[in-house]
Every structure is written in C-alpha cells, then in structure tokens.
Amino acid sequence: MDSEVSLLLHCATWRGLKESQVQVELSDRFNRRTDPALERQIEEVWTERVSKEPWLFNGSKFRLHSFCFASSACNSSVSLSPKSTTCTDSPQVPLPDCSENQERLDKTKIIFCSSDSFSDADNRNRCVDQAEVTQIQVSSEQSIKQTTADPQTEPLLTLRLGLTCYKDYLGTNWSCQASELCRQGEVEFGDPLALLAQPLGVGAVLCTSDGQVVLIRRSQKVAEAGGLLDIPGGHPEPKVVCERLGCVVKEELISVDMMQQWAVISELFSSVNAEIRDEVNIPLSSLQEPVLMGIALNHTSACRPSAEFYVSCSLTSNEVRELYWKGGAEASESTDIIFLGIKDVWQLDRHSPLWSELCPSAKGALLLYQAVKPDGEQDTSRGPTTSGKKNV
C-alpha cells in the first residue's frame, strides 16, 4: 500500500456517476470546528506565507464532511466519513432508524498513526490505518450493491459539504501540527478531522480519442508536489457558484445560504473540464461530460479529499500535445505533457518506475480508474478483486 494515498469512495458498481446521479447537502454543520488557539496559529501561518509569497490569496473552498448512498432502506445505505456518523444526519436522504448499521459505522473511523511513524523531515506525511480504510471501501461497495435507488431517475450519492478556505488549509492540513490537530479533534469532538480544513479538490483522468491518458509535469514554482507528474485538476469554487446565481460577494463573506444545491453540483462537475481547458488548453467543446469515479485521500496533506473524474476527449494525443504547447490560461503551472497508454495504466503499481514520479492526486485518480473502469475497459493483466481497491 502506498502511504501517500488511499481511496475513500469508489463508484465501481455503476462505472462512475454522472452529474444527475449526485446531490449535495450544504450546511454550516459541516464546517471546520474552531478553537481560539488554532485560529491564532492559522493567522500566524498565513501572515508568514504571504510575506514570502505575496501573490497568494485566500479563496473560499468547499469542505467535504461525509457522504451517503441513497436508498429506501437503512440497511442498504451507510453514511461514511472520517467521523462515525449516522444515516439520519442527512435530510436529503430520508431514512428510518439506523441502529442496525451503527456497528458497521463505528468501524469506518479513520485512525491516524502516531507522528513517530512519519518519515519526512517536516512531519507532513500523514498516515491512516489501512485496515480501517479497507473496511470503509468494503462497506461502501456492499452498500452500493444493495441500494434500491433507480440510477436513471434518482441521485445515488449525497455529498455533505460545508465551507472552508485556502488560508485554513495551509494552517491545518498543511501545517506541521496537523497530526496534533487530529488527536485534539478526536479527543474534543470525537472526529480526528474536525479541526482540519479538508477542502474538496477535483481531478481528471483525461483520455484522448486514441487511447492515451494525459499527465502533466508540475512546475517547480507551484506550492505542492513541484516537478512531479499530475493529472489536470483544481478546486470547485464557491465564488463561481454565487456569481452563477447572480450574487457578487467577497470571498470572506460567502456563506452556504447564498448557494443552491443544483448550482454546487454543476460547479463540481464543470470545474473539472474548466481545469482541463486552463491547464492543457483543450477547448470545452472537445470534452465529454465528466464521470465521477470516487474520492481519494492525500495523506501528504492530512487526508485532504479529492473527487476524481474520468473525462473523454475527442482529440488525438498529437492534437492535445499541439494545443498544450500553445499555452493555456494556467500554462505556468506545468512544464511538460506526457501520454500514457491505457494498457500501461493497468500495469501501474508501486513497483513501476513511473509510480515514484506521480504526485498523490495522480496516484489516487489512476487507482480509481483501475477500480471503476469508467470507459468500459477490461483489465486483463490482473485477476478479479473483491473490493475494487488495488494493492499499491
């Protein structure tokens, strides 16, 4: 198992979910918990970073709290998150008493390892009890297979979202005190991630018409994973949602009551293609509708979540390469483009020479691609799996 990444959620049963099959529940209840000492620490970290990198700005982000599969019966739906929650947390998916599921829910809590086990010098490489993560994935797959929701007419997945910001992310998930914050969250709130920002990112496994997966090499000037291979990605933006709804507001004044659920889901899916356009310079007209494969956790930033999508492109790899070198809106964030054949993607694991060049977000997305098979490809190089999780 690669210590940098794990899969929190996959949608293998449906080979991914389309926009109409996903809904959100927005609430301040899903925001990060606050602590006076922590808020002062966040301000100190932010002030120091801005003094060194004055181009930084504090943008609003969505915070992933948990998720729930839709169902008409409680024993076929489980709310899974790093914190043990009950199915009745979500008014979007009305469910009866969930006492039968409590024992299974209690097993889904992520347990953070002691900081003594961290190997990197700045103590930023986080780890999770892999047995617990396996339980999460097995439970989620069992829940998916039992669900009775009509995949053509009803949403199958509810994402519970609050709000956070980039400043809070730097001061919590990316802080050298992240492991201590996890222990504090567990003690004070029964949730190791309660004090962390947990901004929800997005990423895309982009496949060309001639069967090539697109990777880009990150610039050394970016804040994280400089020089490593990545997939196109970024974050859905609450400010964009507000503007789409006709509300012009400063980032720090954005609140969940300014947004509507349909607009948040639209931004979640459309932001993926927008990132591809800006980073790879592919026009939106050449991109198909994104398919949600699942959610991966980045352990180098305290289990920060990222929704990973599959996006099919109507252009060939040569056409994409030409567009990339012409430069897009965010061309400065990468220095090279690399294409990997689908068969080679199936062969990727931690023993592959290329694996060490991938940043955590790319690893998580490619693992989900192997598990979900959103394009209908069959992995003939590996035997069948029982949980949809690859051993990396």
Side-chain angles (χ1 to χ4, degrees):
M1 169 56 63
D2 192 300
S3 62
E4 291 187 339
V5 66
S6 63
L7 306 186
L8 177 65
L9 156 70
H10 68 71
C11 305
T13 296
W14 303 294
R15 292 196 172 178
L17 298 178
K18 296 184 178 180
E19 183 175 332
S20 62
Q21 297 171 308
V22 181
Q23 64 182 358
V24 298
E25 179 187 355
L26 295 168
S27 174
D28 289 333
R29 294 184 297 119
F30 304 142
N31 291 353
R32 179 180 64 84
R33 305 298 287 266
T34 60
D35 172 86
L38 174 59
E39 302 316 304
R40 290 192 296 271
Q41 176 184 315
I42 291 174
E43 288 295 335
E44 291 173 0
V45 170
W46 179 250
T47 300
E48 181 180 0
R49 284 294 297 267
V50 172
S51 67
K52 297 178 180 178
E53 305 167 73
W55 55 85
L56 292 179
F57 68 95
N58 183 27
S60 178
K61 308 297 178 187
F62 291 105
R63 181 181 190 269
L64 178 67
H65 173 274
S66 54
F67 64 89
C68 188
F69 291 110
S71 173
S72 61
C74 182
N75 60 8
S76 62
S77 177
V78 180
S79 171
L80 298 173
S81 74
K83 173 184 176 182
S84 293
T85 58
T86 59
C87 297
T88 52
D89 279 352
S90 174
Q92 298 300 321
V93 188
L95 296 170
D97 177 69
C98 298
S99 58
E100 295 179 5
N101 275 328
Q102 192 58 53
E103 181 178 357
R104 175 164 45 166
L105 289 169
D106 289 339
K107 295 179 180 179
T108 67
K109 186 180 296 182
I110 290 183
I111 307 299
F112 281 77
C113 300
S114 166
S115 60
D116 294 339
S117 65
F118 299 157
S119 59
D120 57 323
D122 61 2
N123 200 31
R124 286 176 178 163
N125 191 19
R126 316 300 172 204
C127 55
V128 175
D129 188 299
Q130 298 302 330
E132 298 294 334
V133 175
T134 300
Q135 288 175 340
I136 290 176
Q137 294 184 48
V138 172
S139 296
S140 65
E141 181 166 281
Q142 291 171 346
S143 302
I144 296 173
K145 289 182 177 179
Q146 294 171 0
T147 186
T148 58
D150 184 347
Q152 301 302 319
T153 60
E154 299 178 36
L156 297 171
L157 175 68
T158 297
L159 300 176
R160 296 177 178 132
L161 303 177
L163 289 176
T164 187
C165 63
Y166 185 62
K167 179 177 72 174
D168 287 359
Y169 166 66
L170 290 182
T172 59
N173 286 72
W174 199 239
S175 166
C176 61
Q177 301 296 321
S179 58
E180 178 57 36
L181 293 177
C182 292
R183 285 189 286 268
Q184 182 181 346
E186 177 65 35
V187 171
E188 296 184 7
F189 305 105
D191 177 2
L193 304 185
L195 295 169
L196 302 185
Q198 293 299 95
L200 179 63
V202 294
V205 172
L206 173 64
C207 191
T208 64
S209 62
D210 53 343
Q212 299 290 311
V213 172
V214 177
L215 298 174
I216 52 179
R217 189 171 297 279
R218 293 173 63 83
S219 167
Q220 292 288 358
K221 297 180 180 180
V222 296
E224 299 177 45
L228 296 179
L229 292 175
D230 199 2
I231 56 172
H235 295 85
E237 302 291 346
K239 186 175 183 179
V240 172
V241 174
C242 291
E243 292 173 348
R244 189 172 299 168
L245 295 171
C247 180
V248 180
V249 61
K250 293 182 178 180
E251 294 273 4
E252 60 271 19
L253 299 179
I254 293 175
S255 61
V256 294
D257 56 10
M258 295 178 179
M259 291 176 279
Q260 297 181 23
Q261 295 182 28
W262 68 266
V264 175
I265 286 296
S266 177
E267 167 63 7
L268 178 65
F269 277 74
S270 65
S271 64
V272 180
N273 282 4
E275 293 291 348
I276 295 173
R277 175 199 61 200
D278 294 343
E279 295 182 11
V280 191
N281 199 31
I282 298 176
L284 295 178
S285 59
S286 298
L287 302 174
Q288 300 299 312
E289 178 184 358
V291 175
L292 177 63
M293 300 186 294
I295 296 174
L297 300 178
N298 183 340
H299 294 242
T300 68
S301 51
C303 289
R304 179 187 52 173
S306 181
E308 308 295 358
F309 295 80
Y310 170 78
V311 178
S312 177
C313 175
S314 62
L315 304 177
T316 67
S317 55
N318 285 334
E319 291 171 325
V320 170
R321 181 183 289 106
E322 291 179 5
L323 288 171
Y324 172 82
W325 286 115
K326 290 180 180 179
E330 298 179 1
S332 62
E333 294 185 4
S334 66
T335 60
D336 198 5
I337 187 168
I338 293 173
F339 298 90
L340 193 63
I342 290 178
K343 291 183 179 179
D344 294 323
V345 172
W346 294 126
Q347 300 292 337
L348 273 180
D349 58 26
R350 68 185 181 90
H351 302 294
S352 304
L354 187 65
W355 191 258
S356 62
E357 294 190 55
L358 298 174
C359 67
S361 58
K363 292 178 180 178
L366 294 178
L367 286 173
L368 280 166
Y369 178 77
Q370 291 175 342
V372 177
K373 302 177 178 64
D375 51 5
E377 293 290 339
Q378 297 297 320
D379 179 7
T380 58
S381 64
R382 299 172 186 261
T385 62
T386 58
S387 67
K389 176 183 178 183
K390 301 297 182 183
N391 294 321
V392 179

